[in-house]
Amino acid sequence: MEEIARYISPELMILIPVLYLIGCGLKKAEFVLDKYIPSAIGLIGVILACLYVFAKNGLTLEGLFVSICQGILCAGASVYFNQIFKQLKK
């Protein structure tokens, strides 16, 4: 967990469980194929990170870069924890 906290901004860590829950919802939705869920989580993560960063710092090129990186990292962490939970169940 320390490694993740080193790269993801503390204020955006809340996105990890939020994206996990969104992923669970997409998994139950019949119209979304499983292979598209990680991409959808990534896109939603970037959008949510953009909303936060732009609301806090305004619309800047640096803010766009940071929010894209943070959104991808949060989505990756969410998928990672999902896989850990699946493996622990086995």
Side-chain angles (χ1 to χ4, degrees), residues 7-83:
Y7 295 106
I8 298 175
S9 298
E11 61 270 10
L12 292 174
M13 290 287 252
I14 190 66
L15 284 182
I16 296 171
V18 168
L19 292 172
Y20 176 79
L21 293 174
I22 290 171
C24 291
L26 290 175
K27 178 79 172 164
K28 291 182 181 183
E30 296 177 7
F31 60 90
V32 180
L33 297 175
D34 288 348
K35 67 180 183 178
Y36 296 123
I37 293 175
S39 298
I41 293 298
L43 181 62
I44 293 167
V46 168
I47 291 169
L48 292 175
C50 281
L51 289 173
Y52 176 80
V53 171
F54 292 158
K56 185 177 176 186
N57 302 324
L59 183 59
T60 64
L61 191 57
E62 179 184 1
L64 179 63
F65 176 75
V66 167
S67 59
I68 289 172
C69 291
Q70 291 294 302
I72 291 170
L73 288 171
C74 289
S78 174
V79 172
Y80 174 73
F81 286 120
N82 180 40
Q83 291 301 311

